[in-house]
Amino acid sequence: MGSRASTLLREEEIEEIKKETGFSHSQITRLYSRFTSLDKGENGTLREDQVNFRGFMRTLAHFRPIEDNEKNKNPTASEPLNSRTNKLLFAFHLYDLDRDDKISRDELLQVLRMMVGVNISDEQLGSIADRTIQEADTNGDNSISFNEFIKVLEKVDVEQKMSIRFLH
Amino acid sequence: MLILLGLVLGGVVLMASKKQLYQLEPALFFLFLLPTIVGDAGYFMPARLFFDNLGAILTYAVVGTLWNAFCTGFCLYTAKLLGVIDERVQADLMDFLLFGALISAVDPVAVLAVFEEVHVNDTLFIIVFGESLLNDAVTVVLYKVYISFVEVGAENVHTADYFKGVASFLIVSVGGTLVGLVFAIILGFITRFTKKVRIIEPLFVFLLVYLAYLTAELFSLSAILSMTFCGIGANKYVEANISQKSRTTVKYTMKTLASIAETIIFIFLGISAVDKSKWAWDTGLVSCTLVFIFVFRAVGVIGQTWVLNRVRLVPLEKIDQVVMSYGGLRGAVAFALVVLLDGERVKAKDYFVATTIVVVFFTVMFQGLTIKPLVKWLRVPRSTSRKLTINEEIHERAFDHILTAVEDIAGLQGYHHWRDKWEQFDKNYLSKLLLRKSVYRKSELWEAYQKINIRDAISVIDQGGNVLTSARLSLPSMASRASFPEVTNVTNYLRENGSGVCLDLQVIDNVPGAKVEEDTETHHVLAENLYKPRRRYQSHYSRHFMPLGEKERQDREVFQRNMRSRMENFKSTRYKHHKKERSLKKRRGSDTKDDGSDKPRRNVSSQDKDPMLVPVEPQVEKPLDPEKEEDVGITFVARKAETPKQRPKSVPAALDGCQSPSAVSPTLSSEASHLPWKGSVGLPPPCVSVEATKIIPVDLQQAWNQSISSLESISSPPAPAESVHPRVNALSRLGRSRPTSYTPPGSVVGSTSSIGAQVSQGFFHYPEKKKEEEEEEEGSTLQEMQPLMSSLWPPSSLPPLHPPASSGLGSGRTRKPCVYLRSLVIPPPPGGSEPHSRGPTQL
């Protein structure tokens, strides 16, 4: 696998990924080998969704721990992928299945159902969902927008909770 | 602080008896005082936070303590060699190492005592505190090892012994932990079956936690570790299994005991300090020690943090490090250990004792007192008290799942991976074993949701809302709360769980202040306006003895009240509410027999009241003293005229019927004392009490005080119309006077029941009644009933009201405001059908 990895992943690509996501060289290489091991079909993508390696890295980059020195580099550029906002955006997209930038009650219900298993009835789940929306919704549209989402989680230590230690 | 107090006490004792009577006995300390504090700390330790930072905690505890101990010991020895320390201190390397070991341990008692005043952020606190707990293992091992070395003598120590020391460290720490966990499992298992014996649940908790401590102590393992892990482990299962009351009991008892123990410890420290016979002073030793421990702590912390930051997710800032090194307080554990030294073997014991005392004092007092300004000055992130929100719960869980998935994708066997594995294991095996069946079935998310719901419901009630109407969303969940096992006392539960993580020894509850204010205000309102209760009926009937005094008192009181209100009325120019008062006559049928001719009318009211009225009505009665109130204005001074809460209240005409009879016949004044609906002074009994009064806002209550007379007579009682008319004037006069004596509570009670029961009915014809009364009363003006009326408008029951109201209007004079009202509520024609529609409301 090692030789395959090196042929499929060129240096300049590594550089690009590094710049975009902030991973180190060794991390990228290691993750690439992981990617290929997941990629059974050997066609450069994962599953039918055609997630290529770049997308893979981009997603994983959300979970890097936050670093301070990033801020100094280029304040004008867009935020690095692992900033707090982007982490939250990632989580938001997980809830928001139809990508309309709002978490509706149904979407919330789906996520909740996945999280709690079978012991809770639909009605109870519905009341949890209602309560959640009630707590978060400030503009009264019965769904949670991204800003409301951020506001609700402002006290949560997202930096720690949404970060994984990637080994060097 | 406490130590100062101890010092003073010690000084007093010393002077009194010239002999030291009390001292901190190590046995007492280790057997009784320390376990309480550690037990409390362990039981209420936030487990998630603890394990998240476990790496850091372990590092500091083990490595940090070792570093401190060795360095301090060596440096002190060097100082001795250099001659900085006096020759009198006969100690060599071993002794110094021993001393270093016991003085370098950060003390949980001191840390808790100081840090609970300085609310630093959770991470920082848990690291320092966790370190102070876990370094006990290190301390114990080092202590024992060095003691044995000292006994054996420095010459006889072999290298093998060093390894044995290391091995024993492992045994002590791991063994202690295991003992603790075993007891945690036993405790969880026991509490699973204690459903029938709720009362002794707290006993089990205390017993087993203490047993964990003693068992570990018995085997020379680390007792603190054992107790800590027992507490942490058991907390999750025990809290889920035991009843609400037991939870409260455990929490309060533990905190109380811990506070007591802490106080005693510090006082003893103070007392012991004054005892000159036990220690000897050596400046060099003392100063060196102070300097060294401080320096080495700082160095150690910085060094370890640097290493840790390379692997931590959230690095520890410089500020955190400063606080950590500054917060490394030594305390009573060190003192107890040093006193425990064998004076024969360790010649320099007295010096050590003195030094320890000074060190402890210095760290606790100086560092403890200055840490708060330091924290403020450095702008250390403080802990914010967070209300539990369902959002956070859900999303935090979601994050956990997400992270586990990502870790899995990335092929890492990281922290979350193991955490997830643990949770699976826990769910499948442990929880089945240790949790009660009913609790086991519900997921944690649901439990969290329940807690939040209950908390909100209670806050709604506390603020005077109505749970059913204002919390429609949570109705289904409340209905399905049947499965929630032990919500016996909702208030306690709510208040207790609202505050999240709280490790303070002193802080238990945060009762919202607003509620208290509202309470007192309502209380004052009630106290001012309620009459003392009149006897509704004679409790015992005696032919030969007739209690006479009561009626006079009541009458006098009523008179005073009326006078007072009259004065107020002339002073104030506010709008007065006129709302009908709700009579509470439901079960007074028999009682009203005293009222003579008006009886039949009064009886009416009793039957068709709502069932809801019954519980409410008994004690709060409206004051009613017709004969005294000829010309008193019918004015209800509205206290809070701004925002009357609109609540439709159904007031069956019968209600007024009850009232009107009394108004009708002045001759019945003698029976006034027996009128059922006389108001009562003072707080209504608990059943009606604060809740009831709070539900109805004050102004509304006042507005509800409505003179019966006008209403009933006008509202077309079954009695012939002509009988109404002659009475109208009399009624109006009397009725007018009545309102003055009506107190908010009276209407409160009525309103309460009405609100509780009839949300939709708005029989609201009372304002019109007032109009008659106004003819004689200048000051009274009708409150703009517009908002009220409009709120009542939707209820469909208004139309029936019209007949009664119209008759009143017809018979009374009209005023400008009345016109308005009249237009809204058409009074019924005399002898209208309305009473019939509402049941047997015969007057």
Side-chain angles (χ1 to χ4, degrees), chain B residues 484-502:
Chain B
F484 192 68
E486 297 98 16
V487 185
T488 49
N489 191 339
V490 189
T491 315
N492 278 349
Y493 188 83
L494 198 65
R495 297 232 175 87
E496 181 185 339
N497 284 298
S499 53
V501 168
C502 179

Side-chain angles (χ1 to χ4, degrees), chain B residues 425-593:
Chain B
F425 171 71
D426 179 48
K427 195 148 115 175
N428 294 334
Y429 299 106
L430 274 187
S431 292
K432 277 204 186 120
L433 183 65
L434 299 178
L435 282 183
R436 242 176 243 168
K437 283 230 175 41
S438 58
V439 180
Y440 171 65
R441 289 213 202 91
K442 293 290 172 192
S443 84
E444 275 188 28
L445 193 58
W446 178 246
E447 301 287 338
Y449 173 65
Q450 290 284 28
K451 279 188 197 163
I452 296 175
N453 232 359
I454 292 175
R455 181 193 74 204
D456 280 350
I458 294 213
S459 66
V460 165
I461 292 180
D462 276 348
Q463 285 160 22
N466 183 339
V467 172
L468 281 184
T469 55
S470 62
R472 298 206 52 101
L473 274 184
S474 43
L475 253 186
S477 68
M478 287 176 82
S480 59
R481 244 183 356 133
S483 58
F484 192 68
E486 297 98 16
V487 185
T488 49
N489 191 339
V490 189
T491 315
N492 278 349
Y493 188 83
L494 198 65
R495 297 232 175 87
E496 181 185 339
N497 284 298
S499 53
V501 168
C502 179
L503 282 179
D504 294 346
L505 279 183
Q506 267 91 23
V507 172
I508 304 262
D509 265 342
N510 289 320
V511 179
K515 173 187 163 299
V516 174
E517 284 171 24
E518 198 180 330
D519 275 357
T520 41
E521 192 175 343
T522 320
H523 179 93
H524 286 142
V525 166
L526 290 181
E528 283 173 37
N529 289 298
L530 284 178
Y531 284 80
K532 289 204 178 44
R534 299 172 196 261
R535 288 172 149 246
R536 278 196 302 280
Y537 52 87
Q538 288 181 336
S539 49
H540 78 275
Y541 186 68
S542 157
R543 285 182 188 204
H544 311 288
F545 177 72
M546 186 85 145
L548 287 174
E550 275 239 21
K551 185 179 98 54
E552 279 166 0
R553 168 182 76 86
Q554 288 161 349
D555 295 346
R556 205 180 316 125
E557 203 178 312
V558 172
F559 180 64
Q560 283 169 357
R561 284 285 174 84
N562 291 334
M563 282 300 144
R564 207 187 317 150
S565 59
R566 208 200 217 160
M567 298 317 247
E568 284 175 24
N569 177 40
F570 284 131
K571 284 187 220 153
S572 88
T573 54
R574 284 189 273 177
Y575 284 131
K576 321 287 189 292
H577 294 270
H578 296 269
K579 293 190 199 138
K580 207 53 177 183
E581 173 184 14
R582 228 178 138 58
S583 95
L584 320 160
K585 291 216 15 131
K586 185 107 184 217
R587 48 186 186 64
R588 311 293 174 71
S590 57
D591 299 337
T592 62
K593 61 183 176 329

Side-chain angles (χ1 to χ4, degrees), chain B residues 164-405:
Chain B
K164 277 195 217 154
V166 171
S168 79
F169 165 70
L170 284 174
I171 294 177
V172 161
S173 50
V174 173
T177 315
L178 280 181
V179 167
L181 289 178
V182 162
F183 275 98
I185 292 185
I186 296 180
L187 184 59
F189 194 65
I190 288 183
T191 51
R192 180 176 167 194
F193 300 111
T194 56
K195 191 153 187 183
K196 298 275 165 59
V197 282
R198 291 257 180 237
I199 215 73
I200 59 174
E201 275 169 347
L203 183 64
F204 279 123
V205 175
F206 292 128
L207 259 185
L208 283 172
V209 172
Y210 191 49
L211 259 184
Y213 183 85
L214 288 180
T215 314
E217 189 73 27
L218 188 65
F219 291 116
S220 297
L221 304 172
S222 164
I224 292 188
L225 270 186
S226 143
M227 199 171 203
T228 309
F229 279 100
C230 178
I232 293 180
N235 186 42
K236 173 165 184 232
Y237 303 107
V238 166
E239 288 285 308
N241 276 341
I242 64 181
S243 76
Q244 177 49 38
K245 289 191 174 137
S246 300
R247 242 176 253 140
T248 317
T249 310
V250 166
K251 175 172 177 177
Y252 277 80
T253 314
M254 273 207 169
K255 297 226 177 266
T256 311
L257 284 177
S259 292
I260 293 177
E262 192 184 344
T263 313
I264 294 183
I265 289 179
F266 280 121
I267 291 186
F268 266 127
L269 270 181
I271 294 182
S272 312
V274 187
D275 179 16
K276 283 211 164 40
S277 67
K278 290 278 173 37
W279 48 270
W281 177 270
D282 180 64
T283 323
L285 181 62
V286 169
S287 50
C288 283
T289 315
L290 276 176
V291 166
F292 285 142
I293 58 170
F294 195 69
V295 164
F296 286 124
R297 167 115 187 128
V299 169
V301 163
I302 294 180
Q304 289 166 85
T305 316
W306 181 79
V307 171
L308 275 179
N309 275 346
R310 294 160 70 83
V311 283
R312 266 180 71 88
L313 285 173
V314 179
L316 293 167
E317 310 281 328
K318 294 255 181 329
I319 298 183
D320 295 336
Q321 295 170 34
V322 168
V323 175
M324 268 198 285
S325 51
Y326 203 68
L329 309 174
R330 273 70 173 172
V333 174
F335 181 72
L337 283 177
V338 85
V339 170
L340 209 51
L341 283 177
D342 189 354
E344 294 299 315
R345 298 291 183 170
V346 182
K347 307 278 188 319
K349 175 183 173 185
D350 294 337
Y351 293 101
F352 286 155
V353 169
T355 316
T356 314
I357 292 181
V358 172
V359 165
V360 166
F361 268 74
F362 181 77
T363 54
V364 172
M365 279 189 0
F366 180 70
Q367 282 179 260
L369 285 175
T370 53
I371 202 168
K372 192 156 189 189
L374 187 73
V375 159
K376 258 198 230 141
W377 177 55
L378 289 178
R379 281 183 282 270
V380 176
R382 312 289 288 273
S383 81
T384 53
S385 62
R386 296 164 26 172
K387 272 175 51 163
L388 205 59
T389 67
I390 188 76
N391 265 291
E392 286 180 9
E393 288 283 322
I394 293 183
H395 296 312
E396 283 186 13
R397 277 163 219 279
F399 287 156
D400 281 342
H401 289 294
I402 295 174
L403 282 192
T404 314

Side-chain angles (χ1 to χ4, degrees), chain B residues 479-790:
Chain B
S480 59
R481 244 183 356 133
S483 58
F484 192 68
E486 297 98 16
V487 185
T488 49
N489 191 339
V490 189
T491 315
N492 278 349
Y493 188 83
L494 198 65
R495 297 232 175 87
E496 181 185 339
N497 284 298
S499 53
V501 168
C502 179
L503 282 179
D504 294 346
L505 279 183
Q506 267 91 23
V507 172
I508 304 262
D509 265 342
N510 289 320
V511 179
K515 173 187 163 299
V516 174
E517 284 171 24
E518 198 180 330
D519 275 357
T520 41
E521 192 175 343
T522 320
H523 179 93
H524 286 142
V525 166
L526 290 181
E528 283 173 37
N529 289 298
L530 284 178
Y531 284 80
K532 289 204 178 44
R534 299 172 196 261
R535 288 172 149 246
R536 278 196 302 280
Y537 52 87
Q538 288 181 336
S539 49
H540 78 275
Y541 186 68
S542 157
R543 285 182 188 204
H544 311 288
F545 177 72
M546 186 85 145
L548 287 174
E550 275 239 21
K551 185 179 98 54
E552 279 166 0
R553 168 182 76 86
Q554 288 161 349
D555 295 346
R556 205 180 316 125
E557 203 178 312
V558 172
F559 180 64
Q560 283 169 357
R561 284 285 174 84
N562 291 334
M563 282 300 144
R564 207 187 317 150
S565 59
R566 208 200 217 160
M567 298 317 247
E568 284 175 24
N569 177 40
F570 284 131
K571 284 187 220 153
S572 88
T573 54
R574 284 189 273 177
Y575 284 131
K576 321 287 189 292
H577 294 270
H578 296 269
K579 293 190 199 138
K580 207 53 177 183
E581 173 184 14
R582 228 178 138 58
S583 95
L584 320 160
K585 291 216 15 131
K586 185 107 184 217
R587 48 186 186 64
R588 311 293 174 71
S590 57
D591 299 337
T592 62
K593 61 183 176 329
D594 308 329
D595 296 327
S597 63
D598 297 319
K599 214 46 71 68
R601 267 174 309 178
R602 249 178 278 172
N603 281 338
V604 169
S605 47
S606 8
Q607 288 96 10
D608 59 329
K609 287 304 173 299
D610 287 340
M612 291 302 293
L613 285 179
V614 182
V616 176
E617 64 175 43
Q619 286 76 9
V620 181
E621 306 156 80
K622 303 171 187 62
L624 186 59
D625 205 345
E627 77 272 27
K628 292 261 172 35
E629 310 157 2
E630 298 86 359
D631 284 320
V632 181
I634 320 158
T635 57
F636 307 110
V637 180
R639 302 269 160 131
K640 300 185 215 161
E642 311 83 61
T643 53
K645 285 202 194 138
Q646 318 298 339
R647 284 181 213 260
K649 297 180 176 63
S650 82
V651 184
L655 273 184
D656 315 320
C658 316
Q659 321 271 357
S660 55
S662 60
V664 165
S665 49
T667 58
L668 295 178
S669 58
S670 58
E671 293 143 347
S673 55
H674 299 291
L675 280 177
W677 358 271
K678 299 288 184 178
S680 48
V681 123
L683 267 189
C687 68
V688 170
S689 78
V690 190
E691 269 86 81
T693 56
K694 274 186 286 194
I695 290 184
I696 321 295
V698 174
D699 51 2
L700 197 64
Q701 303 156 6
Q702 300 219 352
W704 261 71
N705 295 337
Q706 182 51 270
S707 113
I708 28 169
S709 61
S710 43
L711 182 63
E712 201 43 33
S713 58
I714 293 141
S715 57
S716 61
E722 57 275 6
S723 64
V724 175
H725 260 289
R727 242 192 250 115
V728 166
N729 289 339
L731 270 180
S732 57
R733 231 175 308 128
L734 290 167
R736 193 179 2 118
S737 52
R738 265 201 340 74
T740 43
S741 51
Y742 284 151
T743 66
S747 55
V748 168
V749 179
S751 326
T752 319
S753 49
S754 64
I755 286 186
Q758 308 111 25
V759 177
S760 59
Q761 308 174 35
F763 289 78
F764 210 87
H765 44 235
Y766 303 127
E768 303 76 58
K769 306 299 168 44
K770 283 296 167 200
K771 295 165 205 143
E772 284 119 328
E773 299 143 2
E774 285 164 20
E775 59 196 58
E776 302 196 14
E777 177 49 52
E778 303 304 322
S780 65
T781 53
L782 274 178
Q783 162 73 7
E784 262 112 19
M785 302 310 293
Q786 169 59 5
L788 277 165
M789 297 314 292
S790 54

Side-chain angles (χ1 to χ4, degrees), chain A residues 15 21 25 105 111 119 160 165:
Chain A
E15 282 305 310
T21 62
H25 193 108
R105 187 172 180 269
V111 175
N119 285 332
Q160 181 163 23
R165 225 169 279 139

Side-chain angles (χ1 to χ4, degrees), chain B residues 811-827:
Chain B
S811 53
R813 322 279 144 71
T814 64
R815 306 261 153 152
K816 313 185 294 290
C818 309
V819 176
Y820 199 34
L821 282 168
R822 212 176 310 148
S823 64
L824 293 175
V825 178
I826 309 145

